[in-house]
Amino acid sequence: MKTKLLIGCLLLAFIVSCKKETANSEVKKTEEISNISIKSYSYDELKPLLEKKDDKIYVVNFWATWCAPCVKELPYFEKINKEYASKNVEVLLVSLDFPRQVEKKLIPFIKKRNLQSKVVLLDDVNEDVWIKDIDSTWSGAIPITIIYNKDKRKFYEQSFTYESLESELNKFIN
């Protein structure tokens, strides 16, 4: 009887200590991602970022973590962001992920892939309005990209390779 009681106590202590460690590791995960914050925009709030009239060239990509073609091309936008920053080019990644999944999916995704471009979340359920306002030819599919400056604007409903993205960007630089 004493042996059974001793084994039961040891088992209980082991279970409690494991739960405590799991809780601590969850706290650490939250702390690791807490230094990344994603600003959420309605379309009315986002629209000014799509229409700036300064001396920069803007590359705006609409994407989501659940979109395989979007994820595949993200490194190309990151490379553009890094290599063309000195040429007055700014990359903006507009996530169309579900707002309730920002903490569990979007932020860990950004952290894991070490995204350096600015990432914002478009949280607006009136997609029938903003899709057509962004471009009247947009079917609603992603990824899409807009490259613009104060004089010129081009809409791309397609995936890019690095070479094709760089080629399109250079049409704005040259």
Side-chain angles (χ1 to χ4, degrees):
M1 182 71 160
K2 287 182 182 181
T3 306
K4 286 183 183 179
L5 184 62
L6 181 61
I7 291 172
C9 288
L10 288 173
L11 186 59
L12 182 64
F14 178 74
I15 290 170
V16 169
S17 69
C18 287
K19 284 186 179 179
K20 191 176 193 179
E21 188 173 322
T22 302
N24 285 341
S25 65
E26 286 174 11
V27 169
K28 286 178 185 172
K29 285 180 187 174
T30 303
E31 289 171 3
E32 284 177 348
I33 63 173
S34 66
N35 63 351
I36 296 175
S37 63
I38 303 298
K39 184 162 182 180
S40 182
Y41 288 86
S42 68
Y43 179 62
D44 288 338
E45 294 168 325
L46 179 69
K47 193 172 179 175
L49 300 178
L50 308 177
E51 301 174 340
K52 293 183 177 184
K53 301 288 184 194
D54 56 23
D55 291 330
K56 286 189 177 187
I57 298 168
Y58 295 91
V59 179
V60 183
N61 179 253
F62 287 74
W63 68 288
T65 58
W66 45 262
C67 166
C70 301
V71 171
K72 183 178 179 182
E73 70 179 3
L74 277 176
Y76 313 141
F77 290 95
E78 285 293 286
K79 190 172 179 182
I80 290 291
N81 186 51
K82 184 178 180 183
E83 292 183 359
Y84 284 85
S86 64
K87 294 185 178 180
N88 224 13
V89 173
E90 186 175 309
V91 173
L92 175 64
L93 302 174
V94 180
S95 171
L96 298 178
D97 280 280
F98 303 110
R100 67 183 182 277
Q101 295 182 331
V102 168
E103 292 293 324
K104 289 186 178 181
K105 286 195 174 181
L106 183 58
I107 290 176
F109 180 93
I110 291 167
K111 185 102 173 153
K112 181 179 179 183
R113 286 167 176 77
N114 194 28
L115 297 182
Q116 298 300 306
S117 300
K118 182 177 180 179
V119 178
V120 299
L121 177 75
L122 177 56
D123 181 9
D124 194 318
V125 295
N126 295 318
E127 61 269 352
D128 291 338
V129 173
W130 56 260
I131 285 172
K132 293 302 175 199
D133 194 54
I134 288 172
D135 192 275
S136 62
T137 65
W138 186 8
S139 72
I142 55 174
I144 68 109
T145 301
I146 301 165
I147 302 177
Y148 78 94
N149 61 20
K150 64 184 174 187
D151 301 318
K152 186 176 172 183
R153 179 184 187 90
K154 191 138 185 226
F155 174 83
Y156 307 87
E157 188 171 2
Q158 68 181 60
S159 295
F160 281 102
T161 62
Y162 178 75
E163 293 74 20
S164 62
L165 179 59
E166 185 178 44
S167 174
E168 289 301 316
L169 176 59
N170 280 323
K171 292 176 184 177
F172 286 79
I173 293 173
N174 299 327

